[in-house]
Amino acid sequence: MLYYGVLGGNQMEDNKIAYKELVELFLIDTVPEIKSENEIPKFNIIFEDEAYEYFRYVMNHPYKPISKIKGEDIKKLKSLHGNQNCPTVVVEDYQMFFYYLMEIVNQSIKLYTQYGEPRSVRNYCMCYMKRVWLRMGPDDFGDIEKFLERELKFIQNNNFDYLSVGKKITEFYGNDVYLQSRLGTTFDESTRQIAFWIQTEDKEKHDLPYIHYGINEENNKKVCYIFGVQSSFLRQKVSKIERSLYKLNREIEEENVHPSRVFVLQLFLELLIKNNITHIKVPLLQVLNYRYHEIYGQNIKDNYYKNWNKDRIDSFQYLRGYHLKREIQKYEDIQIEYIRFVDKQDTISRLKTENLINLFMEVLRQNPELELLNDLDNNDGCLEFKWTQKGKIKHHF
């Protein structure tokens, strides 16, 4: 029997994860995280018998003795079977499963370095393998290898890497509009993002929503997946720009659609069209996302009441200088997190589904060249669009 781990699994270049090392981290770190539900929701994950033979081989021939797999780690993985209240992943080809994870981690590390944001490969690997499952839609649970292959292709696609330095693309009522290619975190819906902002003549910056996306080649054509159009909670605002954006409201008919989201989505579609990317998919459901935000919100709530009691807050009066400033900042940070996430899973779910649908329906209404290819009421959790002919996105400014 050939194991990838035998054929060079211990060989590692600088700042790259080795195959066998990744398998060890999956067993000793990822599996306990899935089982515990301390951060991410539990789900069933079923491997073939041959995979367990390989796990035992790695246990007896470890990559690093300090992080050796133990028998109880394998038992924990086997316990992630048959939980009726959880979705299930069946790994049909364990070698490809771990190969894709290894390639995603190593190519992501290279990409972050290219963007001037270097990461520790081992730490990034653990974070990625803990959270990547949050990006999975209903169909992805039926074909995990295909999902990971698509994640890898999203990383490999470099269409917009030339925009890693901000670039002016248009004007908005006499103010410059910029976009920039950025990289997200393992918490985000996708690794790649496009950020937008408006800069006034006085060099004031007004942040616009940013777009989570990934580009994949399917059936010999490039397809852009758009996972979300989101605003930063702590974004910079300029009052006169905000007022100007609301002038766009007169063109909007759909409910709960902010003009800034319409604005940036139209700018992004224009960027796609200029790069001959005319097919768009909009996933509407990440299966584990609702439960994840339940857990995350509860963790923040528990932390708040455990660590920020009246005595600690009253102690601020005895602090001075740096120590006072640090405590106040910590308190403000946890308050912001509390407001954003505690008991907000329904709101977040609505933003990711209904509001995203309404946004695309508004842009569809304003641009007849954009065609919805599937049924709004029967879409298998993913809307599909196509830009049908040459033409410009309609702007109303």
Side-chain angles (χ1 to χ4, degrees):
M1 183 179 300
L2 282 177
Y3 293 140
Y4 189 94
V6 179
L7 300 176
N10 276 354
Q11 297 173 1
M12 183 187 71
E13 299 175 31
D14 289 344
N15 213 30
K16 280 191 173 184
I17 202 80
Y19 183 92
K20 189 188 286 187
E21 181 183 17
L22 181 139
V23 172
E24 286 181 343
L25 289 176
F26 181 82
L27 266 292
I28 66 176
D29 185 74
T30 307
V31 170
E33 288 284 351
I34 296 171
K35 183 175 174 60
S36 70
E37 278 204 322
N38 287 333
E39 180 184 321
I40 60 170
K42 184 186 293 185
F43 60 94
N44 299 313
I45 182 163
I46 299 172
F47 283 89
E48 57 199 316
D49 290 340
E50 186 179 334
Y52 282 97
E53 292 180 29
Y54 179 63
F55 298 149
R56 285 187 285 271
Y57 167 82
V58 176
M59 181 171 66
N60 294 322
H61 303 83
Y63 175 79
K64 286 185 176 180
I66 196 171
S67 59
K68 181 180 177 180
I69 296 172
K70 299 180 178 64
E72 63 190 53
D73 298 317
I74 296 176
K75 287 180 181 179
K76 283 180 184 177
L77 178 58
K78 285 186 173 181
S79 74
L80 292 175
H81 290 196
N83 298 296
Q84 294 184 354
N85 296 323
C86 302
T88 298
V89 166
V90 178
V91 179
E92 300 286 355
D93 186 337
Y94 80 93
Q95 294 191 44
M96 291 307 300
F97 175 84
F98 288 114
Y99 170 78
Y100 284 137
L101 285 171
M102 180 187 71
E103 284 296 300
I104 290 167
V105 169
N106 286 334
Q107 295 196 34
S108 295
I109 290 295
K110 183 177 178 180
L111 188 62
Y112 279 109
T113 302
Q114 177 185 323
Y115 272 67
E117 303 173 24
R119 299 285 197 273
S120 158
V121 65
R122 191 172 171 90
N123 183 63
Y124 181 82
C125 181
M126 289 188 287
C127 291
Y128 183 83
M129 289 199 298
K130 179 164 61 174
R131 302 184 184 118
V132 62
W133 328 110
L134 300 174
R135 300 177 179 180
M136 294 171 66
D139 289 346
D140 299 325
F141 274 85
D143 193 340
I144 185 64
E145 290 87 358
K146 184 178 179 181
F147 164 74
L148 291 174
E149 181 184 21
R150 189 173 68 240
E151 279 281 306
L152 176 59
K153 288 181 178 179
F154 287 162
I155 298 296
Q156 292 172 331
N157 179 274
N158 62 359
N159 266 85
F160 301 138
D161 283 342
Y162 73 97
L163 295 169
S164 60
V165 176
K167 178 182 178 182
K168 177 184 172 182
I169 53 169
T170 188
E171 292 187 358
F172 179 75
Y173 291 108
N175 302 286
D176 295 336
V177 180
Y178 289 83
L179 63 72
Q180 183 181 27
S181 173
R182 295 179 181 174
L183 302 179
T185 69
T186 54
F187 286 101
D188 291 318
E189 288 87 344
S190 62
T191 301
R192 292 187 177 275
Q193 302 172 356
I194 294 287
F196 299 85
W197 69 91
I198 298 172
Q199 186 168 289
T200 69
E201 292 180 352
D202 299 327
K203 305 301 181 184
E204 293 179 291
K205 183 183 178 186
H206 183 93
D207 288 323
L208 294 167
Y210 54 95
I211 293 179
H212 296 282
Y213 80 97
I215 296 173
N216 186 27
E217 189 160 317
E218 300 174 4
N219 300 319
N220 298 316
K221 64 177 181 289
K222 286 184 178 179
V223 178
C224 181
Y225 287 72
I226 298 178
F227 297 97
V229 182
Q230 299 178 355
S231 296
S232 172
F233 192 77
L234 299 175
R235 66 191 181 94
Q236 298 180 61
K237 298 181 185 179
V238 179
S239 297
K240 67 177 183 178
I241 299 298
E242 193 78 2
R243 290 193 297 271
S244 296
L245 283 165
Y246 274 105
K247 292 179 183 179
L248 303 180
N249 258 341
R250 61 179 177 266
E251 303 296 334
I252 294 174
E253 296 181 4
E254 294 286 342
E255 293 183 1
N256 300 317
V257 174
H258 194 282
S260 64
R261 283 184 163 84
V262 175
F263 183 45
V264 300
L265 182 54
Q266 290 181 325
L267 292 175
F268 185 63
L269 292 177
E270 203 163 40
L271 177 66
L272 294 177
I273 294 162
K274 286 179 180 177
N275 285 269
N276 297 314
I277 301 170
T278 57
H279 286 75
I280 299 154
K281 291 186 177 181
V282 185
L284 299 173
L285 177 63
Q286 281 106 25
V287 174
L288 299 174
N289 199 270
Y290 187 91
R291 175 63 181 144
Y292 166 73
H293 282 99
E294 275 188 319
I295 297 168
Y296 191 63
Q298 188 61 50
N299 287 342
I300 292 171
K301 190 174 184 178
D302 292 344
N303 178 38
Y304 182 82
Y305 286 109
K306 177 181 178 181
N307 296 311
W308 293 97
N309 55 38
K310 185 176 182 299
D311 289 343
R312 182 172 181 180
I313 295 169
D314 287 345
S315 71
F316 286 6
Q317 62 185 308
Y318 304 112
L319 300 175
R320 296 291 183 271
Y322 167 76
H323 297 290
L324 176 60
K325 185 177 180 180
R326 184 180 62 180
E327 279 294 279
I328 290 174
Q329 186 62 59
K330 286 181 180 179
Y331 185 54
E332 289 177 348
D333 289 346
I334 191 66
Q335 284 183 312
I336 289 170
E337 290 286 285
Y338 195 102
I339 293 167
R340 289 183 68 189
F341 295 110
V342 173
D343 298 326
K344 292 295 192 299
Q345 57 269 17
D346 290 318
T347 301
I348 293 168
S349 179
R350 187 168 60 252
L351 288 171
K352 290 175 176 289
T353 52
E354 296 170 32
N355 288 15
L356 189 59
I357 292 172
N358 291 345
L359 171 60
F360 269 88
M361 291 303 101
E362 180 59 41
V363 172
L364 183 68
R365 186 189 63 78
Q366 292 188 23
N367 296 274
E369 298 88 354
L370 187 64
E371 179 185 352
L372 177 63
L373 298 179
N374 57 352
D375 191 335
L376 184 61
D377 298 317
N378 185 21
N379 52 57
D380 295 325
C382 184
L383 297 180
E384 296 188 37
F385 297 89
K386 181 182 179 182
W387 190 262
T388 57
Q389 62 187 55
K390 289 187 177 180
K392 292 185 176 179
I393 294 286
K394 292 176 177 57
H395 298 297
H396 300 283
F397 57 90

